[in-house]
Amino acid sequence: MAEAKYQIRRKCPICGTIFQIRTIDAVYCSHQCSAVAHKRKVDREAKEAMYDRIAKDIPDIREYLTAKEVVAMFAVERGTLYREIHQGKIPSVNLGKRQIRLKRSDVEERYQLRKKVRKAAQKPIPKTYNLEPENCYTIGEISKKYRIHDTSVWAHIRKFSIPTRQIGNFVYAPKSEIDKLYKSIKL
């Protein structure tokens, strides 16, 4: 199999090592880092599911909440909540060992509900592109500049959903997206 004439290097988000990618969509440097990332994702999803179950079981009329219920309902981490309780920033009632209660109205003033934060984080901001010829490369220009075959350029454009515009016999792709895609190629 023929080798590519370019080398793309990336930084692994798990261990931080810089590695040369074998495929264009490689994110992690090894199978071990990929497994660690998958485990973190599964754990995060399980934690969110647990928070959803706890929050669903809390009646709306309950005036005082436990710390666990506050963490499940509001966008606050457990450590932050306890630190602010100990600093006196949030008034609380201690009914005994592991029985701290927080008034719902005090917590609502300080934190947002978790669902609002999650919905806002999931909505991607739509990108706008200027597809005028002066702000774009043609497919031939991309292949010459980055020394990549036309079919590979087309495959990358389709794979990464890069918008294109056809004017006459030429197909244009935005310079910003193409440069971002191939930024680590040494010319």
Side-chain angles (χ1 to χ4, degrees):
M1 186 169 160
E3 286 189 30
K5 297 177 183 174
Y6 58 89
Q7 296 177 352
I8 299 175
R9 298 188 182 280
R10 291 202 178 134
K11 185 175 181 180
C12 179
I14 301 298
C15 64
T17 60
I18 296 175
F19 66 101
Q20 181 178 341
I21 64 170
R22 292 185 207 131
T23 61
I24 197 73
D25 59 344
V27 177
Y28 305 106
C29 64
S30 65
H31 178 69
Q32 182 180 4
C33 287
S34 177
V36 168
H38 178 69
K39 171 114 174 66
R40 288 180 184 174
K41 179 183 175 187
V42 168
D43 290 346
R44 188 172 47 251
E45 288 172 353
K47 188 177 180 181
E48 289 295 323
M50 180 191 69
Y51 286 159
D52 289 340
R53 276 194 317 273
I54 292 170
K56 193 183 295 182
D57 294 338
I58 302 168
D60 292 336
I61 59 171
R62 189 182 301 170
E63 189 175 347
Y64 285 91
L65 304 170
T66 65
K68 190 174 187 177
E69 292 170 342
V70 169
V71 170
M73 285 182 64
F74 296 94
V76 62
E77 290 296 322
R78 183 175 167 264
T80 304
L81 180 67
Y82 280 110
R83 183 176 59 247
E84 291 186 354
I85 289 170
H86 292 300
Q87 291 174 350
K89 293 180 180 178
I90 300 174
S92 63
V93 178
N94 192 352
L95 302 174
K97 190 174 182 181
R98 293 187 184 206
Q99 293 188 354
I100 292 178
R101 300 292 186 262
L102 304 158
K103 193 169 184 179
R104 179 177 258 180
S105 59
D106 294 335
V107 177
E108 286 175 346
E109 290 175 7
R110 192 158 185 89
Y111 302 111
Q112 294 178 344
L113 286 174
R114 185 175 293 278
K115 291 180 183 179
K116 289 181 183 176
V117 173
R118 193 175 320 129
K119 285 181 184 175
Q122 285 181 347
K123 283 187 179 177
I125 299 170
K127 293 182 181 178
T128 56
Y129 299 102
N130 185 353
L131 293 175
E132 294 301 318
E134 60 269 5
N135 297 325
C136 298
Y137 292 125
T138 63
I139 301 302
E141 289 173 346
I142 297 168
S143 63
K144 285 179 187 173
K145 181 175 181 178
Y146 293 106
R147 298 185 195 110
I148 301 171
H149 197 270
D150 291 349
T151 56
S152 297
V153 172
W154 276 111
H156 296 158
I157 286 174
R158 282 191 301 274
K159 183 172 189 172
F160 295 104
S161 302
I162 297 173
T164 58
R165 177 181 180 193
Q166 184 169 356
I167 301 175
N169 291 334
F170 296 102
V171 176
Y172 295 93
K175 288 181 179 180
S176 60
E177 289 297 310
I178 297 299
D179 290 338
K180 187 167 52 171
L181 178 64
Y182 298 120
K183 69 181 174 187
S184 58
I185 296 176
K186 303 210 191 276
L187 298 176

